[in-house]
C-alpha cells in the first residue's frame, strides 16, 4: 500500500478534521491520556515496555532495542503488524504516533514499510500534541466570547443548548449530567482525556463556527471531571441567559431523563430483574450523596417515596404501561421544590448583574437566533 503522504506536525489539521490516529504507546500510557480519535495498537504491551525500560537503565539504548526485538518477534510481531496494516487500510488518511515521535514510531513505520505499507507518523508524538491542546485551551479560553445557559434543574437546558449553532456540550464531553443524579451508564473519561476533548471542541468552535460559544452553566466538577480553572473562571464572568419552565414541565423532563431513560438503559444492559435492581441502587446512591445538605429527615422521606415508586414501576405490565412511572413524580417534585430550587435561586441571586435574557425556550431561541 504505497503512500506519498509525509510525516506531519500540523496538529491543528489533525484535530479539526478528526483524523484517525494510531497510538502505538503501551496500554498503560494510553489509559493515562489519549485523544478522542485515537485507537491503541501498541508496539509493546505493558510488561514488554517495563522490561525494556529496565534494560535501558541498566545497559543503554542499544541493548534495550535488542531486547525489544527479542520480545516482539515471530508470530507476535506478525500479529501486531497485521493490526497496523488493517488500521492503515481502514483509515488511509490517518497517522501513527508514540510518546515523543521517536524510536517506537519509527520502528512501527519501518516494520509496516517492510510489510509493504507506507504510513506517516506525527512528529513530536503525543507529548507535542498534548502541549498544543493545553496551549490552545488557555489561549481560546481568553479569546472566545462565551454565553452561559442557566436555569433550574429540569428546564431542559441541554436540549435547548443543542439548538444554538456554536455550542459545546460540556456534559457530553464529561459523560455526566452534572448533578448528584448525573451518572450515566457510560464510564466518564479520565481528566486528561476530558481536557483534550474540551480543547478540541474549543478549536472547532473558533475555526469552524461563528459567533459566541454557548455552554451550559456547570459547577467546577462535572462528576469527577474538573473544568480547567481558567476556563471555569472565564465562564463565571460571562453573560448569562436563563431558561425558565413551569414546575410541572420540569418534573416531566426529570422523569424522562433520570427515570424512564435510565431504567430502560439498565434493563437493556442487564435484563429486567437485575436492571431494576441496578436502577434502584443508582437512585439510592444518588440520594445518599446529597444527604448532608438535604437533611436526614427529608432524605428518609424521599427514600420512602422512591421505594414506593420503584415497587409500583416493578408491578407494571411493561415499561410503557400508562401510569408505570407515576410514583416517581412524587419524589421528583419534592426534591426539586425543597432542595434544587432553593439552592439554584440562591446561586442565581449572586449572578443577577450577568443576566442578559430570561424566558422560556421559545423566547430564548427567538431572541438569540433571529
Amino acid at each position: 500500500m504505497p503512500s506519498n503522504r509525509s510525516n506531519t506536525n500540523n496538529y491543528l489539521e489533525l484535530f479539526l478534521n478528526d483524523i484517525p490516529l494510531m497510538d502505538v504507546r503501551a496500554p498503560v500510557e494510553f489509559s493515562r491520556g489519549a485523544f478522542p480519535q485515537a485507537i491503541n495498537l501498541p508496539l509493546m504491551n505493558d510488561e514488554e515496555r517495563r522490561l525494556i525500560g529496565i534494560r535501558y537503565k541498566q545497559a543503554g539504548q542499544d541493548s534495550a532495542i535488542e531486547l525489544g526485538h527479542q520480545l516482539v518477534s515471530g508470530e507476535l510481531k506478525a500479529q501486531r503488524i497485521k493490526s497496523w496494516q488493517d488500521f492503515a487500510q481502514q483509515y488511509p488518511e490517518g497517522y501513527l504516533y508514540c510518546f515523543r515521535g521517536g524510536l517506537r514510531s519509527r520502528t512501527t513505520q519501518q516494520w509496516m514499510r517492510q510489510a509493504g505499507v507506507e504510513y506517516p507518523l506525527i512528529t513530536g508524538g503525543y507529548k507535542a500534541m498534548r502541549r498544543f491542546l493545553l496551549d490552545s485551551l488557555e489561549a481560546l479560553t481568553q479569546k472566545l466570547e462565551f454565553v452561559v445557559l442557566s436555569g433550574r434543574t429540569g428546564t431542559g437546558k441541554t436540549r435547548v443548548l443543542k439548538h444554538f449553532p456554536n455550542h459545546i456540550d460540556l456534559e457530553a464531553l464529561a459523560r455526566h449530567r452534572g448533578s448528584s443524579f448525573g451518572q450515566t451508564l457510560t464510564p466518564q473519561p479520565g481528566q486528561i482525556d476530558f481536557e483534550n476533548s474540551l480543547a478540541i471542541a474549543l478549536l472547532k468552535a473558533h475555526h469552524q463556527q461563528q459567533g459566541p460559544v454557548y455552554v451550559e452553566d456547570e459547577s467546577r466538577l462535572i462528576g469527577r471531571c474538573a473544568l480547567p480553572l481558567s476556563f471555569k473562571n472565564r465562564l463565571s464572568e460571562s453573560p448569562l441567559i436563563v431558561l425558565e419552565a413551569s414546575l410541572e414541565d420540569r418534573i416531566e423532563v426529570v422523569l424522562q431523563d433520570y427515570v424512564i431513560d435510565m431504567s430502560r438503559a439498565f434493563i437493556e444492559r442487564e435484563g429486567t430483574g437485575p436492571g431494576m435492581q441496578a436502577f434502584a441502587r443508582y437512585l439510592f446512591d444518588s440520594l445518599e450523596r446529597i444527604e448532608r445538605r438535604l437533611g436526614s429527615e427529608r432524605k428518609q422521606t424521599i427514600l420512602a417515596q422512591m421505594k414506593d415508586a420503584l415497587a409500583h414501576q416493578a408491578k407494571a405490565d411493561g415499561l410503557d404501561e400508562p401510569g408505570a412511572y407515576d410514583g416517581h413524580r412524587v419524589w421528583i417534585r419534592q426534591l426539586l421544590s425543597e432542595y434544587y430550587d432553593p439552592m439554584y435561586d440562591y446561586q442565581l441571586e449572586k449572578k443577577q448583574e450577568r443576566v442578559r435574557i430570561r424566558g422560556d425556550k421559545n423566547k430564548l431561541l427567538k431572541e438569540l437566533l433571529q
Side-chain angles (χ1 to χ4, degrees):
M1 186 190 301
S3 172
N4 58 3
R5 294 188 304 130
S6 302
N7 298 337
T8 187
N9 62 358
N10 191 339
Y11 312 131
L12 178 62
E13 179 183 359
L14 295 173
F15 292 122
L16 287 183
N17 296 294
D18 297 321
I19 299 298
L21 305 176
M22 186 171 80
D23 186 324
V24 301
R25 296 177 300 158
V28 66
E29 297 173 280
F30 187 84
S31 67
R32 290 174 186 153
F35 308 114
Q37 70 270 43
I39 295 176
N40 189 213
L41 297 174
L43 171 66
M44 301 176 293
N45 64 28
D46 294 338
E47 178 63 12
E48 292 158 358
R49 173 176 174 269
R50 187 185 71 84
L51 294 173
I52 291 170
I54 293 172
R55 177 67 65 86
Y56 180 86
K57 291 179 181 179
Q58 294 175 341
Q61 185 182 65
D62 289 344
S63 180
I65 292 174
E66 180 181 357
L67 176 60
H69 283 286
Q70 293 172 7
L71 293 173
V72 185
S73 61
E75 182 60 29
L76 181 61
K77 177 179 177 180
Q79 291 173 359
R80 292 184 186 171
I81 293 174
K82 177 64 164 58
S83 70
W84 301 335
Q85 288 176 303
D86 291 344
F87 182 94
Q89 184 172 7
Q90 185 174 359
Y91 304 110
E93 74 279 22
Y95 291 85
L96 68 91
Y97 68 90
C98 63
F99 183 64
R100 292 187 179 88
L103 183 59
R104 284 183 288 179
S105 287
R106 294 195 301 271
T107 299
T108 302
Q109 195 177 51
Q110 179 185 1
W111 288 2
M112 293 180 73
R113 182 179 298 119
Q114 291 170 351
V117 179
E118 291 285 348
Y119 209 65
L121 60 80
I122 299 170
T123 57
Y126 173 84
K127 186 176 182 181
M129 289 189 285
R130 167 71 173 162
R131 182 74 262 164
F132 170 78
L133 289 180
L134 287 176
D135 291 345
S136 298
L137 194 156
E138 288 301 315
L140 292 175
T141 290
Q142 302 307 319
K143 184 173 186 177
L144 290 170
E145 175 189 358
F146 294 96
V147 176
V148 179
L149 176 61
S150 188
R152 286 176 164 179
T153 301
T155 51
K157 295 183 291 295
T158 303
R159 301 175 187 183
V160 172
L161 183 72
K162 297 181 186 301
H163 288 277
F164 295 112
N166 197 12
H167 71 272
I168 295 177
D169 188 343
L170 299 172
E171 294 182 358
L173 298 181
R175 298 181 212 141
H176 195 282
R177 294 192 184 98
S179 71
S180 56
F181 287 78
Q183 170 194 339
T184 70
L185 270 65
T186 304
Q188 285 197 262
Q191 180 64 25
I192 290 176
D193 289 7
F194 173 68
E195 292 171 357
N196 288 342
S197 295
L198 175 58
I200 293 169
L202 290 172
L203 285 169
K204 291 179 178 180
H206 177 56
H207 290 278
Q208 297 178 343
Q209 300 289 340
Q210 294 181 345
V213 181
Y214 292 89
V215 297
E216 194 171 331
D217 198 4
E218 302 287 354
S219 302
R220 175 85 196 278
L221 285 176
I222 308 177
R224 70 180 184 192
C225 294
L227 294 175
L229 186 58
S230 59
F231 182 75
K232 175 58 180 173
N233 289 342
R234 183 66 198 285
L235 297 187
S236 298
E237 303 166 351
S238 300
L240 279 174
I241 56 175
V242 179
L243 177 61
E244 298 176 332
S246 70
L247 177 60
E248 300 306 319
D249 286 344
R250 291 163 49 222
I251 290 171
E252 294 308 307
V253 169
V254 172
L255 181 72
Q256 184 67 52
D257 290 349
Y258 295 89
V259 175
I260 299 175
D261 290 348
M262 285 297 288
S263 61
R264 286 176 173 171
F266 276 114
I267 288 170
E268 182 178 344
R269 187 181 72 177
E270 302 184 25
T272 302
M276 281 300 296
Q277 292 175 4
F279 174 59
R281 287 195 301 272
Y282 152 76
L283 290 182
F284 300 156
D285 290 346
S286 300
L287 184 63
E288 192 73 28
R289 283 192 284 272
I290 60 174
E291 179 178 10
R292 184 176 61 84
R293 288 176 292 176
L294 187 63
S296 179
E297 184 176 344
R298 279 194 297 182
K299 183 246 184 172
Q300 291 301 322
T301 298
I302 292 173
L303 179 62
Q305 293 168 346
M306 281 182 173
K307 290 180 177 178
D308 287 343
L310 287 164
H312 179 73
Q313 181 182 350
K315 290 178 182 178
D317 185 18
L319 294 177
D320 295 321
E321 179 184 329
Y325 304 99
D326 285 352
H328 290 286
R329 291 185 176 90
V330 177
W331 66 261
I332 292 172
R333 179 184 298 275
Q334 182 166 354
L335 204 54
L336 288 180
S337 60
E338 296 186 14
Y339 176 73
Y340 282 108
D341 288 359
M343 185 168 57
Y344 172 78
D345 293 345
Y346 172 76
Q347 294 294 332
L348 183 61
E349 184 64 31
K350 299 187 293 185
K351 308 173 185 176
Q352 284 300 323
E353 72 282 357
R354 293 167 49 206
V355 177
R356 299 295 180 265
I357 306 171
R358 59 190 312 155
D360 63 14
K361 170 185 173 181
N362 293 331
K363 179 180 178 180
L364 295 189
L365 294 179
K366 180 179 179 181
E367 295 199 23
L368 294 168
L369 298 181
Q370 61 184 0

